[in-house]
Amino acid sequence: MAPAAAVLLGPLLLASLSGVSTTTSVFPLTLPGSLLSRLGDHIQEVQARLGQRLGEPSPAREGWLQQPLDPFNSSDQRSFLQRYWVNTRHWRFPDGPVFLHIGGESSLGPSSVLKGHPGTLAPLWGALVVSLEHRFYGHSIPPGGLDLVQLRFLSSRHALADVASACIQLSRIYNISASSPWIGFGGSYAGSLAAWARLKFPHLIWAAVASSAPVQAQLDFSSYNQVVSRSLADPAVGGSSKCRRAVVQAFAELDHGLSEGKETQAALQSEVRACGTLETPEDQAELLEQLEGLVGAAVQYDQQAGVPLDVRSLCHLMLANQSRGPLSGLQDAIQLVLQTLGLPCLPSSKAAAVAEMKDTSPQAEGLGSRQWFYQTCTEFGYYITCKDSSCPFSRRRTLSDQLQLCAQVFGLLPASVAEAVTRTNTYYGGQSPGATRVFFVNGDIDPWHVLSVLQALGSSEPAVLLRGTSHCSDMAPAQPSDPPSLHLGRQKIAQQLKIWLQEAKVDLGSV
Ligand SMILES: *[C@@H]1O[C@H](CO)[C@@H](O)[C@H](O)[C@H]1NC(C)=O
Ligand SMILES: *[C@@H]1O[C@H](CO)[C@@H](O)[C@H](O)[C@H]1NC(C)=O
Ligand SMILES: *[C@@H]1O[C@H](CO)[C@@H](O)[C@H](O)[C@H]1NC(C)=O
């Protein structure tokens, strides 16, 4: 009964479509090339493989939709192919609900229609599961690639127009009944997209579950490190104030050493296993950013499958061998992370990081670094700084340095970046989006939760803040070691969905 997918493949694109992606969409939300983003990619890959049964045919099918490059200009006839995945195995044809997994700033693989809330909840509801890769990421890159002239067709608004168009096209391709409610799901940036899809297209999207969605755009995201600091000291996840202090001391030692002469810098280079010399302030800042990312990732991805270090194990290392000096714990942590990622040394060249962002050749798998950086410069900011007094890291990482990168890579001036962030919040409503039937799910360990909706904004806008839980944890496959709050959180999502699907039955006449 599964209808044939209409495949609209352009011959030029075919050659590049052979790779099989495994990644899902829980993304790192960070600057390109950083340890934080590499760790995010690594965790995604591990989670995509979890519970995969080899040799069994997968119900996930790949398809392509033709989408207008510029949906806001009907005289522009150019188009591109957007990838989607579909799983019809559980679908009660034709009017079971549609669970739409919205993609973010990474490629989407088949696991996007097998796992997460959509894949897990589909059997119960007889749902059709569909996922949509975000334009300009993964294999959904318009002709012309990542050139700056093309990137002006990359924004959350374009992505939402794609979602609306996909609802219409997929309904036709799969003969989906008009009484089938569409439920949007997404995590992190894609969680924001899920909420905004409901906000802007309520006639198409019946309800949404937004996991760890930073709906508030923010230029100077200094509160990220405020939460990192708090989480390192949180006994619920194995942190302590001693651990936090050890991190502060390690970074103070580093900061001090880096400002000494060449000899100390050379000694530090080998101690922290940096790939290059640490003589220029730019490379020093790059190294510090990588190491902050290492600690940040332990917090952001705390207790998730595939994470080499979480708060508990990081704190264990930080406190185990303090007699060897303030850097010893950090050295052990670096060793472990390099080993996990298969890296010979810690990238510490600013020039290399900038070159990576200037590289216009698309990367078909994992995070789209250049594209995501472009979206921070033109929509969201999210620049992590160390301004808050509780920040455990070096004070060297300033907002203006990060804004400078927008100028260097894209020619965008700091004032325009600030203006863009303001406009984003005006357009979507920041932390008061005013959309009904959106469930905001967050974890209090996750540094991103402060930019989301944490309290219900009325009975049809529920929210839950899960204690002891990290970034997008609710979307990961359930594990016996999950904290009770996470278990309860997943139950609340299922209960809320039940209510909204029952409302759909009454209002849309669906079964
Ligand atoms: C709309 O598209 C047409 C055809 O490509 C182009 O000539 C025109 O400049 C575009 N308008 C805007 C506002 O981009
Ligand atoms: C689409 O589904 C309806 C039932 O909802 C059915 O009557 C119709 O024949 C179907 N059309 C196609 C093309 O499958
Ligand atoms: C502490 O140092 C000793 C000796 O250098 C080493 O064998 C041990 O593994 C270290 N402990 C941790 C937790 O790294």
Side-chain angles (χ1 to χ4, degrees):
M1 139 167 21
V7 176
L8 304 159
L9 268 188
L12 282 177
L13 266 173
L14 264 172
S16 66
L17 300 176
S18 47
V20 175
S21 162
T22 51
T23 48
T24 61
S25 79
V26 181
F27 66 89
L29 264 174
T30 176
L31 282 183
S34 71
L35 222 49
L36 187 54
S37 72
R38 282 178 214 266
L39 282 164
D41 271 352
H42 172 77
I43 292 163
Q44 286 172 37
E45 277 167 33
V46 170
Q47 295 190 355
R49 284 196 303 268
L50 273 185
Q52 214 170 50
R53 280 185 222 131
L54 291 173
E56 203 176 88
S58 166
R61 291 284 166 272
E62 194 179 36
W64 302 86
L65 298 172
Q66 190 163 14
Q67 298 279 22
L69 179 65
D70 187 348
F72 309 119
N73 178 359
S74 52
S75 9
D76 191 335
Q77 294 300 305
R78 289 173 296 172
S79 64
F80 74 101
L81 293 172
Q82 179 170 38
R83 177 164 67 170
Y84 68 90
W85 291 92
V86 64
N87 172 4
T88 57
R89 180 172 280 179
H90 312 292
W91 190 25
R92 203 180 52 238
F93 178 81
D95 56 6
V98 183
F99 289 174
L100 174 66
H101 175 151
I102 298 175
E105 77 280 30
S106 281
S107 61
L108 276 192
S111 67
S112 59
V113 289
L114 305 174
K115 294 174 184 170
H117 300 306
T120 311
L121 297 167
L124 183 62
W125 292 102
L128 175 68
V129 186
V130 182
S131 71
L132 196 61
E133 192 169 68
H134 196 296
R135 61 163 62 203
F136 285 93
Y137 293 95
H139 291 276
S140 302
I141 307 215
L146 306 181
D147 263 24
L148 189 54
V149 283
Q150 288 298 104
L151 290 183
R152 70 191 170 88
F153 301 109
L154 166 63
S155 75
S156 57
R157 298 167 211 209
H158 288 90
L160 291 172
D162 292 339
V163 169
S165 159
C167 289
I168 308 288
Q169 291 193 54
L170 290 168
S171 291
R172 201 161 49 226
I173 295 170
Y174 289 94
N175 199 4
I176 298 166
S177 158
S179 59
S180 291
W182 287 64
I183 313 291
F185 296 86
S188 211
Y189 161 53
S192 300
L193 290 176
W196 296 334
R198 166 66 190 159
L199 175 70
K200 299 294 187 187
F201 302 102
H203 58 295
L204 297 173
I205 304 292
W206 180 255
V209 178
S211 301
S212 301
V215 287
Q216 176 80 27
Q218 197 165 72
L219 194 61
D220 185 340
F221 188 16
S222 63
S223 46
Y224 183 97
N225 281 327
Q226 213 174 335
V227 182
V228 168
S229 172
R230 199 194 308 151
S231 297
L232 287 172
D234 190 338
V237 289
S240 63
S241 48
K242 257 199 203 143
C243 170
R244 189 194 167 276
R245 211 173 311 127
V247 171
V248 170
Q249 280 162 0
F251 277 85
E253 174 82 4
L254 256 177
D255 214 1
H256 178 73
L258 287 172
S259 50
E260 300 268 294
K262 278 194 182 165
E263 255 170 57
T264 319
Q265 288 160 357
L268 271 180
Q269 182 190 342
S270 98
E271 277 171 40
V272 301
R273 302 192 49 194
C275 297
T277 61
L278 301 172
E279 290 168 14
T280 68
E282 289 77 22
D283 292 345
Q284 294 171 3
E286 182 66 22
L287 172 85
L288 287 166
E289 184 185 322
Q290 297 286 13
L291 293 175
E292 290 169 21
L294 181 150
V295 176
V299 172
Q300 180 168 321
Y301 300 115
D302 184 61
Q303 295 174 71
Q304 297 195 20
V307 68
L309 269 181
D310 57 11
V311 173
R312 189 177 303 276
S313 54
L314 174 69
C315 287
H316 177 70
L317 292 181
M318 293 306 294
L319 298 173
N321 276 328
Q322 279 185 307
S323 55
R324 258 166 51 208
L327 275 184
S328 75
L330 197 56
Q331 284 175 278
D332 292 342
I334 293 166
Q335 166 81 16
L336 185 66
V337 167
L338 290 180
Q339 211 168 9
T340 307
L341 296 178
L343 292 175
C345 54
L346 204 55
S348 59
S349 157
K350 187 56 149 200
V354 173
E356 192 188 329
M357 281 183 272
K358 286 190 167 168
D359 185 358
T360 55
S361 53
Q363 211 177 346
E365 306 304 332
L367 172 78
S369 301
R370 172 177 166 83
Q371 305 92 299
W372 177 244
F373 185 55
Y374 179 79
Q375 288 199 261
T376 69
C377 296
T378 52
E379 294 189 85
F380 304 117
Y382 295 146
Y383 301 117
I384 299 170
T385 63
C386 202
K387 253 177 33 190
D388 191 81
S389 61
S390 70
C391 173
F393 303 127
S394 166
R395 306 273 144 185
R396 295 186 193 207
R397 201 166 166 197
T398 63
L399 178 62
S400 78
D401 282 352
Q402 299 188 65
L403 286 174
Q404 212 45 54
L405 272 186
C406 294
Q408 222 177 325
V409 178
F410 301 117
L412 294 161
L413 297 178
S416 86
V417 179
E419 172 60 25
V421 168
T422 305
R423 239 181 287 134
T424 298
N425 289 328
T426 304
Y427 187 71
Y428 294 118
Q431 283 165 307
S432 318
T436 58
R437 284 196 217 109
V438 178
F439 193 5
F440 288 96
V441 183
N442 283 282
D444 72 348
I445 297 300
D446 175 19
W448 291 95
H449 81 267
V450 290
L451 300 182
S452 193
V453 176
L454 305 177
Q455 281 180 345
L457 302 168
S459 61
S460 63
E461 242 177 314
V464 63
L465 180 61
L466 306 174
R467 176 79 185 108
T469 301
S470 61
H471 194 60
C472 297
S473 290
D474 60 299
M475 299 172 78
Q479 297 188 83
S481 57
D482 287 340
S485 64
L486 183 52
H487 183 69
L488 211 66
R490 291 201 186 97
Q491 274 181 352
K492 278 189 182 163
I493 293 168
Q495 283 161 4
Q496 187 58 64
L497 211 59
K498 184 176 178 186
I499 295 171
W500 286 336
L501 288 171
Q502 273 165 352
E503 282 175 21
K505 204 162 152 181
V506 175
D507 290 16
L508 303 174
S510 68
V511 184

